[in-house]
């Protein structure tokens, strides 16, 4: 029998279920016995191909716990159960995994990580020992199950790379390289201001920021971690991560200078993680150097721009490879003429240097697939702006979309999600735009609007949708007599009759006699100024047509 003494520890748990008696009562919790642990296999060979599949499962019987107080239930959180694993049956240095109440399963990745941490050799079968550890609290001795031995053949884990995952841990934002696979990673990352991310090593270990205010750039891998975040700058960051030191740094590089035979600046191409410049030399074998000054952020500076440390940045080249060095090395341009220089850091393992004759593409020219309308719904979602609302770029370069507007303070249009530094706001008059200007775009009254943006000419339009939209081209009749009524914000529905199949399909117009603003599409999707919808090819009859302009979808069902 195990007895819990000390009311401070247990009564806080038990009193959530029943009333406590007078101070000094003793509550006794009984019934904890060693469990019988069983495994689904005695030999497991792991492969990277099956890394995400269940590789090994355990099950056990639970003790029936009870108290000495009639009517008092045992808290559902008890007992505390974990699976211990170790390379020896004495469990000299065990690894603990919090387990479910009656069973636990390991994927190939998880089991492979346990084997690696226990020191098992890759591609060799070795025993890994498991046992169940059960406790009633921190002030009680644990009870252990029988020991189960499973022969594990792990695969080699590539610990040379660490991935930067987005806040949802779904998308890879960048990758850093550790030449010695020793937990010391570095590389050049294209990042937006305040970019949030987690880090994941090759063995699946997740790292994040210590979950305490004022501890930016300090890493942890426990469950309390927050996501890490870059400072309020955008562009190229030389980033280092030390999992042994549990710290990371970010050195922002605003510009790289070319000196020597040529004086020029290199421009950073965000989407490609490249630096580019076009230079003209007047003599053969001209010698240049590439260098700059970065701003380093770390645990001492936090994300304070004023505290960021001036840090020399210099490069040397060897063949087609480029490396970061303390002093800029000489780079020779073989013949006089116009050349395009490129430093490419898209491969995390090595930077490359190329020198091509002639002028290259304009490094400043980038195409952004979306515009993010931060602040356009702050009356709905709250005062904190976000990048949830966006409109898409069409083939003609015009951005468009149907948006529910409920803005308290106006809004801005951002070219990249989570990058607060690059945006468009209203120019001198409504309908005009200016890049990185002051103030916000004036918001109209609450409602659903068609928003179009022409960044080439720095103009925008906002047209409010009313309670009806118009179907034209149905039965090859191009007028505005067929309508759908509003059923919700941005949603319209009604019946239509197909008497003859139109060779052109039909289109959806937002207002009568306006032939310029319409939607076409197909297969349930809508596109601004798209081709006619040909779902009438299903034949004559009565149909229910439902259009959701905000989601850019439609549904046409024959009655």
């Amino acid at each position: 029998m195990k007895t819990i003494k000390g009311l401070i520890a247990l009564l806080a748990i038990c009193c959530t279920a029943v009333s406590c008696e007078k101070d000094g009562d003793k509550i006794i919790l009984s019934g904890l016995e060693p469990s019988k642990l069983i495994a689904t296999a005695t030999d497991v060979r792991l492969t990277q191909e099956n890394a995400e599949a269940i590789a090994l499962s355990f099950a056990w019987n639970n003790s029936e716990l009870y108290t000495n107080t009639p009517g008092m239930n045992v808290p559902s959180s008890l007992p505390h159960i974990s699976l211990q694993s170790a390379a020896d049956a004495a469990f000299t240095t065990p690894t603990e995994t919090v387990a479910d109440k009656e069973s636990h399963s390991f994927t190939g990745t998880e089991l492979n990580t346990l084997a690696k941490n226990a020191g098992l050799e890759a591609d060799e079968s070795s025993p890994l020992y498991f046992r169940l550890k059960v406790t009633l609290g921190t002030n009680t001795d644990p009870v252990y199950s029988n020991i189960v031995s499973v022969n594990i053949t792990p695969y080699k884990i590539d610990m040379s790379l660490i991935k930067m995952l987005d806040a949802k841990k779904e998308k890879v934002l960048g990758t850093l390289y550790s030449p010695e696979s020793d937990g010391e990673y570095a590389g050049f990352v294209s990042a937006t201001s305040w970019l949030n991310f987690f880090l994941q090593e090759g063995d699946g270990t997740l790292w994040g920021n210590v979950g305490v205010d004022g501890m930016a750039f300090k890493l942890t891998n426990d469950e309390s971690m927050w996501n890490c975040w870059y400072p309020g700058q955008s562009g190229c960051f030389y980033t280092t991560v030390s999992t042994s030191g549990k710290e990371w740094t970010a050195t922002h590089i605003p510009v790289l200078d070319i000196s020597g035979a040529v004086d020029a600046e290199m421009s950073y191409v965000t989407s490609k993680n490249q630096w580019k410049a076009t230079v003209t030399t007047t003599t053969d074998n001209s010698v240049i150097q590439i260098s700059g000054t970065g701003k380093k952020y770390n645990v001492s500076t936090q994300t304070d721009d004023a505290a960021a440390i001036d840090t020399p940045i210099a490069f040397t080249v060897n063949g087609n490879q480029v490396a970061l060095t303390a002093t800029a090395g000489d780079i020779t341009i073989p013949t006089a003429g116009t050349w395009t220089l490129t430093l490419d850091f898209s491969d995390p393992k090595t930077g490359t240097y190329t020198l091509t004759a002639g002028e290259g593409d304009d490094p400043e020219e980038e195409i952004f697939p979306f515009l993010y309308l931060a602040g356009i719904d702050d009356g709905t979602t709250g005062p904190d702006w976000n990048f949830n609302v966006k409109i898409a770029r069409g083939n003609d370069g015009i951005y468009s979309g149907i948006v529910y507007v409920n803005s308290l303070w106006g809004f801005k249009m951002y070219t990249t999600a989570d990058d607060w530094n690059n945006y468009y706001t209203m120019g001198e008059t409504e309908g005009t735009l200016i890049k990185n200007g002051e103030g916000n775009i004036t918001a109209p009254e609450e409602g659903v609007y068609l928003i179009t943006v022409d960044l080439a000419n720095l103009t925008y339009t906002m047209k409010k949708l009313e309670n009806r939209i118009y179907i034209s081209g149905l039965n090859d009749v191009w007028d505005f007599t067929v309508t759908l009524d509003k059923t919700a914000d941005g949603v319209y529905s009604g019946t239509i009759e197909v008497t003859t199949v139109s060779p052109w399909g039909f289109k959806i117009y937002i207002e009568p006699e306006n032939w310029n603003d319409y939607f076409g599409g197909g297969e349930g999707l809508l596109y601004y100024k798209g081709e006619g919808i040909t779902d009438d090819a299903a034949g004559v009859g009565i149909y229910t047509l439902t259009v959701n302009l905000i989601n850019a979808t439609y549904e046409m069902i024959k009655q």
Side-chain angles (χ1 to χ4, degrees):
M1 174 184 295
K2 295 293 180 181
T3 301
I4 295 183
K5 299 180 179 178
L7 294 177
I8 294 178
L10 183 59
L11 291 184
I13 301 174
C14 293
C15 286
T16 61
V18 298
S19 299
C20 298
E21 301 298 332
K22 64 181 184 296
D23 292 342
D25 283 350
K26 180 187 295 184
I27 299 175
I28 302 174
L29 188 60
S30 306
L32 185 61
E33 301 292 341
S35 298
K36 175 65 176 178
L37 180 67
I38 60 173
T40 56
T42 56
D43 290 274
V44 179
R45 184 177 185 85
L46 300 172
T47 64
Q48 286 185 322
E49 291 73 19
N50 297 321
E52 300 309 313
I54 298 298
L56 182 64
S57 298
F58 291 90
W60 55 88
N61 63 299
N62 284 328
S63 301
E64 293 187 8
L65 303 180
Y66 55 91
T67 72
N68 65 331
T69 304
M72 177 175 287
N73 296 324
V74 177
S76 60
S77 60
L78 296 180
H80 304 298
I81 303 173
S82 61
L83 265 171
Q84 289 189 329
S85 59
D88 62 310
F91 289 84
T92 306
T93 55
T95 297
E96 289 198 7
T97 303
V98 176
D100 296 327
K101 290 300 182 183
E102 295 179 346
S103 64
H104 189 84
S105 297
F106 292 100
T107 65
T109 297
E110 293 168 338
L111 191 58
N112 203 67
T113 300
L114 289 180
K116 180 188 80 69
N117 293 341
L120 273 61
E121 293 292 332
D123 301 320
E124 293 184 12
S125 179
S126 305
L128 190 63
Y129 298 91
F130 295 88
R131 68 181 180 185
L132 208 63
K133 176 185 175 182
V134 185
T135 62
L136 294 176
T138 57
N139 60 335
T140 64
D141 294 331
V143 173
Y144 296 100
S145 72
N146 57 301
I147 296 174
V148 174
S149 174
V150 180
N151 292 321
I152 307 292
T153 304
Y155 56 84
K156 183 176 177 59
I157 298 176
D158 182 5
M159 296 296 289
S160 68
L161 298 174
I162 191 168
K163 298 177 182 177
M164 302 174 64
L165 304 180
D166 67 359
K168 295 182 179 179
K169 306 182 184 73
E170 296 174 349
K171 182 180 178 182
V172 178
L173 304 175
T175 308
L176 303 176
Y177 178 53
S178 174
E180 304 300 325
S181 298
D182 57 358
E184 303 297 323
Y185 303 89
F188 294 87
V189 175
S190 175
T192 57
S193 61
W194 308 115
L195 178 68
N196 295 329
F197 65 94
F198 290 96
L199 295 158
Q200 185 179 50
E201 292 190 276
D203 62 359
T205 302
L206 277 171
W207 294 87
N209 196 87
V210 170
V212 178
D213 289 333
M215 296 288 283
F217 297 95
K218 193 66 178 175
L219 296 174
T220 184
N221 60 355
D222 62 31
E223 294 181 354
S224 67
M225 64 182 170
W226 295 343
N227 53 248
C228 301
W229 61 93
Y230 275 93
Q233 309 296 326
S234 298
C236 184
F237 286 86
Y238 179 69
T239 304
T240 69
V241 171
S242 173
T243 56
S244 59
K246 296 185 178 182
E247 295 181 0
W248 72 286
T249 71
T251 302
H252 181 237
I253 308 173
V255 67
L256 288 177
D257 296 312
I258 299 174
S259 58
V262 176
D263 290 325
E265 286 187 354
M266 303 192 79
S267 298
Y268 185 61
V269 185
T270 303
S271 60
K272 297 181 179 180
N273 200 7
Q274 294 177 344
W275 288 90
K276 280 192 172 186
T278 299
V279 300
T280 299
T281 59
T282 57
T283 60
D284 293 347
N285 297 316
S286 295
V287 176
I288 63 171
Q289 296 83 33
I290 300 176
S291 61
T293 300
K295 291 285 189 178
K296 186 175 183 178
Y297 300 81
N298 58 20
V299 292
S300 63
T301 68
Q302 302 288 292
T303 56
D304 182 1
D305 294 337
I309 303 166
D310 286 341
T311 304
I313 301 292
F315 295 95
T316 186
V317 300
N318 183 12
N320 72 331
Q321 292 190 331
V322 60
L324 187 67
T325 57
T327 304
D330 289 342
I331 301 172
T332 301
I333 301 178
T335 57
T338 300
W339 298 86
T340 297
L341 285 67
T342 304
L343 305 183
D344 188 340
F345 298 108
S346 58
D347 184 345
K349 294 185 177 182
T350 181
T352 59
Y353 166 78
T354 57
L355 180 66
T356 56
E359 296 185 6
D361 297 333
D362 183 359
E364 298 292 339
E365 184 177 357
E366 290 191 69
I367 295 176
F368 301 99
F370 300 104
L371 282 179
Y372 298 86
L373 311 182
I376 203 159
D377 61 348
D378 60 4
T380 302
T381 61
D384 293 333
W385 282 18
N386 56 63
F387 291 83
N388 294 338
V389 180
K390 62 186 178 182
I391 57 178
R393 184 181 189 274
N395 293 330
D396 56 358
I398 303 299
Y399 296 85
S400 63
I402 302 291
V403 175
Y404 176 73
V405 178
N406 183 17
S407 177
L408 299 177
W409 316 109
F411 63 98
K412 289 184 173 72
M413 301 178 181
Y414 293 81
T415 54
T416 305
D418 300 316
D419 181 2
W420 296 101
N421 290 336
N422 293 291
Y423 60 86
Y424 292 85
T425 189
M426 194 170 72
E428 294 183 359
T429 59
E430 289 191 23
T432 65
L433 295 171
I434 185 172
K435 187 171 184 180
N436 295 343
E438 298 293 331
N440 298 328
I441 298 171
T442 301
E445 65 179 359
E446 181 180 353
V448 177
Y449 288 80
L450 168 63
I451 300 179
T452 62
V453 180
D454 183 351
L455 289 186
N457 294 307
L458 294 177
T459 60
Y460 72 94
T461 64
M462 300 184 70
K463 293 185 178 180
K464 188 176 183 181
L465 274 64
E466 301 301 336
N467 295 327
R468 181 172 295 169
I469 60 174
Y470 303 83
I471 310 300
S472 191
L474 192 68
N475 304 315
D476 206 19
V477 176
W478 293 89
D479 60 20
F480 294 90
T481 59
V482 179
T483 63
L484 299 179
D485 289 332
K486 175 182 173 181
T487 59
D489 289 327
V491 181
Y492 300 81
S493 186
T495 58
I496 61 173
E497 182 178 7
V498 176
T499 58
T500 181
V501 175
S502 169
W504 318 110
F506 62 89
K507 296 177 181 178
I508 299 168
Y509 292 80
I510 66 171
E511 55 187 0
E513 308 307 327
N514 175 5
W515 297 101
N516 294 321
D517 295 321
Y518 62 87
F519 289 83
E523 298 182 349
L525 300 177
L526 296 175
Y527 302 96
Y528 182 60
K529 295 190 176 182
E531 297 295 328
I533 298 170
T534 57
D535 289 42
D536 59 345
V540 299
I542 304 296
Y543 293 79
T544 299
L545 177 61
T546 301
V547 174
N548 188 324
L549 291 175
I550 294 178
N551 293 340
T553 60
Y554 72 92
E555 185 178 47
M556 185 170 168
I557 301 175
K558 192 172 185 179
Q559 295 183 2

